Amino acid sequence: MSETSAQSRALKSGSPSLGGRGARGFSLAEILVVLVILALGSTIALYSYSNYRKSLSVQSSARKLQAALSTARGFSINTNRRHSVVIDLDRQLFWIDALNAAGTDTIPKVVPEEAFAEFVVVDQLRIDSNVYTDGRRTIPFTPDGGNPYVVILLRREFDDPSADESFFSIRMESNSGEPQILPKRKL
């Protein structure tokens, strides 16, 4: 069998490798369908990533504040003197102060002030039965490890304040020690 007869049979059968009828490109409709599917997938991925980043910024702020609360309690126990975590709700800052027996600052800002992540705000601070949304508030710790009942609600400033999933709550039971972070819960 000659090489030319094999090529002519391949052309008649539509072999794509030899440029017959089977060797066609994609139609415009097929390309558009693939592009729409890719666009939808990208949109969903970007939305999911955006929510993930939002959650991370609130979570990192909650962890910083949790660490400050634990540190202040540890300072109080280890140095046998009172310390407090001060939260400035107007400026969205917090720090640790050392206190004297009367409860006034002896060494302000033992741990320097720290800001929450960008766009993260303390929505509400509850110390025992008092609820605060503004001003400078103090959470005291005594040398025996004592502290008041505390609930701190953090969220991104542009998130829906009525939706529980917008919040990270920090709860510290009275005299219990370790503050707990409760994601996507408004206490």
Side-chain angles (χ1 to χ4, degrees):
M1 181 190 255
S2 74
E3 189 175 316
T4 53
S5 66
Q7 286 178 345
S8 67
R9 262 187 286 183
L11 285 174
K12 288 178 186 174
S13 68
S15 172
S17 61
L18 298 175
R21 288 181 302 188
R24 65 180 194 97
F26 296 104
S27 71
L28 181 60
E30 290 170 327
I31 292 172
L32 288 175
V33 166
V34 168
L35 288 176
V36 166
I37 290 170
L38 287 174
L40 286 172
S42 298
T43 302
I44 291 168
L46 284 173
Y47 180 76
S48 296
Y49 181 71
S50 168
N51 284 340
Y52 171 73
R53 294 273 305 163
K54 173 178 69 171
S55 177
L56 274 184
S57 66
V58 179
Q59 182 179 22
S60 72
S61 292
R63 286 184 187 212
K64 285 181 188 179
L65 192 50
Q66 177 189 37
L69 293 165
S70 295
T71 301
R73 183 174 188 268
F75 281 171
S76 293
I77 294 169
N78 292 332
T79 63
N80 200 32
R81 47 190 298 199
R82 296 175 60 181
H83 285 75
S84 68
V85 172
V86 180
I87 301 175
D88 188 332
L89 297 167
D90 298 328
R91 295 178 34 219
Q92 297 299 313
L93 300 171
F94 63 94
W95 62 89
I96 298 173
D97 287 342
L99 307 174
N100 60 20
T104 58
D105 298 348
T106 57
I107 305 172
K109 299 184 182 169
V110 171
V111 173
E113 64 185 25
E114 191 166 347
F116 296 104
E118 187 176 23
F119 304 118
V120 174
V121 296
V122 175
D123 191 70
Q124 185 181 96
L125 169 62
R126 188 178 327 146
I127 302 173
D128 287 329
S129 61
N130 301 314
V131 176
Y132 306 101
T133 57
D134 60 2
R136 185 180 288 182
R137 306 300 171 191
T138 302
I139 302 167
F141 294 88
T142 59
D144 65 355
N147 59 272
Y149 175 75
V150 176
V151 173
I152 305 165
L153 302 179
L154 297 170
R155 68 174 174 87
R156 300 252 308 185
E157 66 183 345
F158 45 79
D159 285 343
D160 181 8
S162 65
D164 284 357
E165 62 270 2
S166 299
F167 288 88
F168 270 71
S169 298
I170 302 171
R171 178 180 62 201
M172 188 169 60
E173 297 290 337
S174 181
N175 302 319
S176 72
E178 193 60 36
Q180 300 172 336
I181 297 176
L182 306 165
K184 301 184 182 205
R185 288 183 59 189
K186 183 178 180 181
L187 296 177

